[in-house]
Amino acid sequence: MRQFFSKITSFILAFLVLLSTLSFAVDKHYCGDFLVDVSFTGEAQVCGLKMENTSLTKKKNCCKDEVHKFDGQDELQNHKVENITFKNEQFLTAFIILFKGLNIENNADHDFYKDFSPPDIPLNYQILYQYFLI
């Protein structure tokens, strides 16, 4: 069971590293105030409305494109422990000893209390004190 949980945990951590390094872009095309197309893989399709800028009509183009970029981590940091101090060494030693001590299984084959009989009572106190439950 413990092996199963450690495999699941390692899979989840590997998946989180993959997601943190992933980067993508979302391309959106608006026509006026309305969202016409959204694309995650390339450029969004245009709606086909183009207003020409002529000298008689000075109207602006009603369409606009937005690109949202989500950048992932580019560099993963590898930490190296160069200086191991005496304090760190003591902590690591204590941690390893305690961690190994938590995983001890009891494989005792002796069942001392399996056929345990109660002790002999030399006097019958119920009769001696005339105390009976009704």
Side-chain angles (χ1 to χ4, degrees), residues 11-31:
F11 179 74
I12 289 172
L13 289 175
F15 189 69
L16 286 175
V17 168
L18 177 69
L19 284 180
S20 69
T21 59
L22 187 69
S23 61
F24 60 95
V26 178
D27 193 16
K28 296 179 183 179
H29 180 77
Y30 288 96
C31 188

PDB file of all heavy atoms in Angstrom, residues 11-31:
ATOM      1  N   PHE A  11       4.160  10.482  -9.423  1.00  0.00           N
ATOM      2  CA  PHE A  11       3.497  10.817 -10.679  1.00  0.00           C
ATOM      3  C   PHE A  11       2.901  12.228 -10.627  1.00  0.00           C
ATOM      4  O   PHE A  11       3.034  13.001 -11.576  1.00  0.00           O
ATOM      5  CB  PHE A  11       2.402   9.791 -10.986  1.00  0.00           C
ATOM      6  CG  PHE A  11       1.655  10.078 -12.251  1.00  0.00           C
ATOM      7  CD1 PHE A  11       2.241   9.856 -13.486  1.00  0.00           C
ATOM      8  CD2 PHE A  11       0.372  10.595 -12.216  1.00  0.00           C
ATOM      9  CE1 PHE A  11       1.559  10.139 -14.658  1.00  0.00           C
ATOM     10  CE2 PHE A  11      -0.321  10.885 -13.368  1.00  0.00           C
ATOM     11  CZ  PHE A  11       0.274  10.644 -14.592  1.00  0.00           C
ATOM     12  N   ILE A  12       2.271  12.575  -9.512  1.00  0.00           N
ATOM     13  CA  ILE A  12       1.671  13.907  -9.369  1.00  0.00           C
ATOM     14  C   ILE A  12       2.751  14.983  -9.382  1.00  0.00           C
ATOM     15  O   ILE A  12       2.597  16.032 -10.026  1.00  0.00           O
ATOM     16  CB  ILE A  12       0.825  13.975  -8.089  1.00  0.00           C
ATOM     17  CG1 ILE A  12      -0.444  13.135  -8.263  1.00  0.00           C
ATOM     18  CG2 ILE A  12       0.451  15.410  -7.731  1.00  0.00           C
ATOM     19  CD1 ILE A  12      -1.258  12.979  -7.010  1.00  0.00           C
ATOM     20  N   LEU A  13       3.879  14.744  -8.704  1.00  0.00           N
ATOM     21  CA  LEU A  13       4.961  15.734  -8.694  1.00  0.00           C
ATOM     22  C   LEU A  13       5.572  15.900 -10.086  1.00  0.00           C
ATOM     23  O   LEU A  13       5.894  17.015 -10.492  1.00  0.00           O
ATOM     24  CB  LEU A  13       6.027  15.329  -7.682  1.00  0.00           C
ATOM     25  CG  LEU A  13       5.616  15.466  -6.214  1.00  0.00           C
ATOM     26  CD1 LEU A  13       6.713  14.910  -5.320  1.00  0.00           C
ATOM     27  CD2 LEU A  13       5.304  16.892  -5.866  1.00  0.00           C
ATOM     28  N   ALA A  14       5.740  14.797 -10.828  1.00  0.00           N
ATOM     29  CA  ALA A  14       6.259  14.905 -12.191  1.00  0.00           C
ATOM     30  C   ALA A  14       5.292  15.679 -13.082  1.00  0.00           C
ATOM     31  O   ALA A  14       5.704  16.492 -13.921  1.00  0.00           O
ATOM     32  CB  ALA A  14       6.511  13.512 -12.761  1.00  0.00           C
ATOM     33  N   PHE A  15       3.997  15.469 -12.894  1.00  0.00           N
ATOM     34  CA  PHE A  15       2.986  16.191 -13.665  1.00  0.00           C
ATOM     35  C   PHE A  15       3.006  17.683 -13.336  1.00  0.00           C
ATOM     36  O   PHE A  15       2.865  18.526 -14.226  1.00  0.00           O
ATOM     37  CB  PHE A  15       1.602  15.584 -13.387  1.00  0.00           C
ATOM     38  CG  PHE A  15       0.525  16.102 -14.273  1.00  0.00           C
ATOM     39  CD1 PHE A  15       0.505  15.787 -15.620  1.00  0.00           C
ATOM     40  CD2 PHE A  15      -0.475  16.912 -13.775  1.00  0.00           C
ATOM     41  CE1 PHE A  15      -0.486  16.266 -16.455  1.00  0.00           C
ATOM     42  CE2 PHE A  15      -1.469  17.395 -14.588  1.00  0.00           C
ATOM     43  CZ  PHE A  15      -1.477  17.071 -15.931  1.00  0.00           C
ATOM     44  N   LEU A  16       3.211  18.035 -12.063  1.00  0.00           N
ATOM     45  CA  LEU A  16       3.296  19.449 -11.676  1.00  0.00           C
ATOM     46  C   LEU A  16       4.527  20.124 -12.266  1.00  0.00           C
ATOM     47  O   LEU A  16       4.468  21.291 -12.674  1.00  0.00           O
ATOM     48  CB  LEU A  16       3.305  19.575 -10.153  1.00  0.00           C
ATOM     49  CG  LEU A  16       1.967  19.339  -9.462  1.00  0.00           C
ATOM     50  CD1 LEU A  16       2.142  19.375  -7.957  1.00  0.00           C
ATOM     51  CD2 LEU A  16       0.938  20.356  -9.906  1.00  0.00           C
ATOM     52  N   VAL A  17       5.647  19.422 -12.338  1.00  0.00           N
ATOM     53  CA  VAL A  17       6.846  19.985 -12.963  1.00  0.00           C
ATOM     54  C   VAL A  17       6.599  20.215 -14.446  1.00  0.00           C
ATOM     55  O   VAL A  17       6.980  21.246 -15.006  1.00  0.00           O
ATOM     56  CB  VAL A  17       8.065  19.064 -12.737  1.00  0.00           C
ATOM     57  CG1 VAL A  17       9.238  19.474 -13.603  1.00  0.00           C
ATOM     58  CG2 VAL A  17       8.457  19.074 -11.281  1.00  0.00           C
ATOM     59  N   LEU A  18       5.924  19.273 -15.084  1.00  0.00           N
ATOM     60  CA  LEU A  18       5.597  19.430 -16.503  1.00  0.00           C
ATOM     61  C   LEU A  18       4.685  20.632 -16.721  1.00  0.00           C
ATOM     62  O   LEU A  18       4.909  21.434 -17.642  1.00  0.00           O
ATOM     63  CB  LEU A  18       4.934  18.161 -17.039  1.00  0.00           C
ATOM     64  CG  LEU A  18       4.484  18.213 -18.493  1.00  0.00           C
ATOM     65  CD1 LEU A  18       5.687  18.247 -19.410  1.00  0.00           C
ATOM     66  CD2 LEU A  18       3.594  17.044 -18.809  1.00  0.00           C
ATOM     67  N   LEU A  19       3.660  20.800 -15.890  1.00  0.00           N
ATOM     68  CA  LEU A  19       2.749  21.928 -16.056  1.00  0.00           C
ATOM     69  C   LEU A  19       3.425  23.266 -15.753  1.00  0.00           C
ATOM     70  O   LEU A  19       3.089  24.285 -16.370  1.00  0.00           O
ATOM     71  CB  LEU A  19       1.529  21.759 -15.153  1.00  0.00           C
ATOM     72  CG  LEU A  19       0.498  20.743 -15.615  1.00  0.00           C
ATOM     73  CD1 LEU A  19      -0.657  20.678 -14.629  1.00  0.00           C
ATOM     74  CD2 LEU A  19      -0.021  21.049 -16.990  1.00  0.00           C
ATOM     75  N   SER A  20       4.362  23.286 -14.815  1.00  0.00           N
ATOM     76  CA  SER A  20       5.012  24.558 -14.484  1.00  0.00           C
ATOM     77  C   SER A  20       5.965  25.010 -15.580  1.00  0.00           C
ATOM     78  O   SER A  20       6.254  26.200 -15.701  1.00  0.00           O
ATOM     79  CB  SER A  20       5.759  24.444 -13.158  1.00  0.00           C
ATOM     80  OG  SER A  20       6.872  23.601 -13.305  1.00  0.00           O
ATOM     81  N   THR A  21       6.480  24.107 -16.390  1.00  0.00           N
ATOM     82  CA  THR A  21       7.385  24.488 -17.465  1.00  0.00           C
ATOM     83  C   THR A  21       6.662  24.706 -18.788  1.00  0.00           C
ATOM     84  O   THR A  21       7.269  25.159 -19.749  1.00  0.00           O
ATOM     85  CB  THR A  21       8.462  23.411 -17.670  1.00  0.00           C
ATOM     86  OG1 THR A  21       7.833  22.170 -17.977  1.00  0.00           O
ATOM     87  CG2 THR A  21       9.315  23.272 -16.434  1.00  0.00           C
ATOM     88  N   LEU A  22       5.380  24.413 -18.842  1.00  0.00           N
ATOM     89  CA  LEU A  22       4.601  24.545 -20.070  1.00  0.00           C
ATOM     90  C   LEU A  22       4.218  26.005 -20.290  1.00  0.00           C
ATOM     91  O   LEU A  22       3.807  26.699 -19.376  1.00  0.00           O
ATOM     92  CB  LEU A  22       3.339  23.681 -19.964  1.00  0.00           C
ATOM     93  CG  LEU A  22       2.480  23.544 -21.188  1.00  0.00           C
ATOM     94  CD1 LEU A  22       3.218  22.722 -22.233  1.00  0.00           C
ATOM     95  CD2 LEU A  22       1.175  22.865 -20.843  1.00  0.00           C
ATOM     96  N   SER A  23       4.362  26.489 -21.519  1.00  0.00           N
ATOM     97  CA  SER A  23       3.919  27.841 -21.852  1.00  0.00           C
ATOM     98  C   SER A  23       3.068  27.765 -23.120  1.00  0.00           C
ATOM     99  O   SER A  23       3.304  26.940 -24.000  1.00  0.00           O
ATOM    100  CB  SER A  23       5.114  28.770 -22.057  1.00  0.00           C
ATOM    101  OG  SER A  23       5.908  28.312 -23.117  1.00  0.00           O
ATOM    102  N   PHE A  24       2.058  28.645 -23.187  1.00  0.00           N
ATOM    103  CA  PHE A  24       1.177  28.648 -24.349  1.00  0.00           C
ATOM    104  C   PHE A  24       0.614  30.052 -24.548  1.00  0.00           C
ATOM    105  O   PHE A  24       0.758  30.927 -23.701  1.00  0.00           O
ATOM    106  CB  PHE A  24       0.052  27.618 -24.208  1.00  0.00           C
ATOM    107  CG  PHE A  24      -0.847  27.834 -23.025  1.00  0.00           C
ATOM    108  CD1 PHE A  24      -2.029  28.525 -23.162  1.00  0.00           C
ATOM    109  CD2 PHE A  24      -0.507  27.336 -21.774  1.00  0.00           C
ATOM    110  CE1 PHE A  24      -2.860  28.728 -22.081  1.00  0.00           C
ATOM    111  CE2 PHE A  24      -1.329  27.530 -20.697  1.00  0.00           C
ATOM    112  CZ  PHE A  24      -2.516  28.226 -20.847  1.00  0.00           C
ATOM    113  N   ALA A  25      -0.038  30.247 -25.697  1.00  0.00           N
ATOM    114  CA  ALA A  25      -0.611  31.546 -26.033  1.00  0.00           C
ATOM    115  C   ALA A  25      -2.069  31.355 -26.444  1.00  0.00           C
ATOM    116  O   ALA A  25      -2.438  30.359 -27.062  1.00  0.00           O
ATOM    117  CB  ALA A  25       0.157  32.195 -27.173  1.00  0.00           C
ATOM    118  N   VAL A  26      -2.886  32.325 -26.082  1.00  0.00           N
ATOM    119  CA  VAL A  26      -4.303  32.331 -26.455  1.00  0.00           C
ATOM    120  C   VAL A  26      -4.516  33.528 -27.358  1.00  0.00           C
ATOM    121  O   VAL A  26      -4.234  34.667 -26.976  1.00  0.00           O
ATOM    122  CB  VAL A  26      -5.201  32.420 -25.204  1.00  0.00           C
ATOM    123  CG1 VAL A  26      -6.665  32.464 -25.601  1.00  0.00           C
ATOM    124  CG2 VAL A  26      -4.952  31.260 -24.269  1.00  0.00           C
ATOM    125  N   ASP A  27      -5.000  33.282 -28.571  1.00  0.00           N
ATOM    126  CA  ASP A  27      -5.238  34.333 -29.553  1.00  0.00           C
ATOM    127  C   ASP A  27      -6.741  34.548 -29.664  1.00  0.00           C
ATOM    128  O   ASP A  27      -7.496  33.608 -29.905  1.00  0.00           O
ATOM    129  CB  ASP A  27      -4.652  33.920 -30.903  1.00  0.00           C
ATOM    130  CG  ASP A  27      -4.572  35.070 -31.874  1.00  0.00           C
ATOM    131  OD1 ASP A  27      -4.682  36.226 -31.419  1.00  0.00           O
ATOM    132  OD2 ASP A  27      -4.392  34.816 -33.074  1.00  0.00           O
ATOM    133  N   LYS A  28      -7.187  35.800 -29.473  1.00  0.00           N
ATOM    134  CA  LYS A  28      -8.616  36.131 -29.520  1.00  0.00           C
ATOM    135  C   LYS A  28      -8.853  37.176 -30.601  1.00  0.00           C
ATOM    136  O   LYS A  28      -8.046  38.072 -30.798  1.00  0.00           O
ATOM    137  CB  LYS A  28      -9.082  36.697 -28.174  1.00  0.00           C
ATOM    138  CG  LYS A  28      -8.985  35.727 -27.033  1.00  0.00           C
ATOM    139  CD  LYS A  28      -9.442  36.388 -25.742  1.00  0.00           C
ATOM    140  CE  LYS A  28      -9.281  35.459 -24.576  1.00  0.00           C
ATOM    141  NZ  LYS A  28      -9.704  36.102 -23.310  1.00  0.00           N
ATOM    142  N   HIS A  29      -9.982  37.045 -31.300  1.00  0.00           N
ATOM    143  CA  HIS A  29     -10.368  38.016 -32.322  1.00  0.00           C
ATOM    144  C   HIS A  29     -11.728  38.588 -31.940  1.00  0.00           C
ATOM    145  O   HIS A  29     -12.691  37.857 -31.755  1.00  0.00           O
ATOM    146  CB  HIS A  29     -10.445  37.363 -33.705  1.00  0.00           C
ATOM    147  CG  HIS A  29     -10.839  38.324 -34.779  1.00  0.00           C
ATOM    148  ND1 HIS A  29      -9.962  39.241 -35.305  1.00  0.00           N
ATOM    149  CD2 HIS A  29     -12.027  38.533 -35.416  1.00  0.00           C
ATOM    150  CE1 HIS A  29     -10.583  39.966 -36.223  1.00  0.00           C
ATOM    151  NE2 HIS A  29     -11.840  39.551 -36.303  1.00  0.00           N
ATOM    152  N   TYR A  30     -11.772  39.929 -31.799  1.00  0.00           N
ATOM    153  CA  TYR A  30     -13.002  40.635 -31.459  1.00  0.00           C
ATOM    154  C   TYR A  30     -13.465  41.413 -32.673  1.00  0.00           C
ATOM    155  O   TYR A  30     -12.676  42.034 -33.384  1.00  0.00           O
ATOM    156  CB  TYR A  30     -12.760  41.628 -30.316  1.00  0.00           C
ATOM    157  CG  TYR A  30     -12.556  40.984 -28.971  1.00  0.00           C
ATOM    158  CD1 TYR A  30     -11.280  40.739 -28.487  1.00  0.00           C
ATOM    159  CD2 TYR A  30     -13.643  40.643 -28.186  1.00  0.00           C
ATOM    160  CE1 TYR A  30     -11.094  40.163 -27.250  1.00  0.00           C
ATOM    161  CE2 TYR A  30     -13.461  40.068 -26.940  1.00  0.00           C
ATOM    162  CZ  TYR A  30     -12.197  39.832 -26.479  1.00  0.00           C
ATOM    163  OH  TYR A  30     -12.012  39.266 -25.266  1.00  0.00           O
ATOM    164  N   CYS A  31     -14.752  41.407 -32.903  1.00  0.00           N
ATOM    165  CA  CYS A  31     -15.364  42.251 -33.921  1.00  0.00           C
ATOM    166  C   CYS A  31     -16.307  43.188 -33.176  1.00  0.00           C
ATOM    167  O   CYS A  31     -17.376  42.789 -32.729  1.00  0.00           O
ATOM    168  CB  CYS A  31     -16.112  41.423 -34.951  1.00  0.00           C
ATOM    169  SG  CYS A  31     -16.681  42.402 -36.352  1.00  0.00           S
TER     170      CYS A  31
END
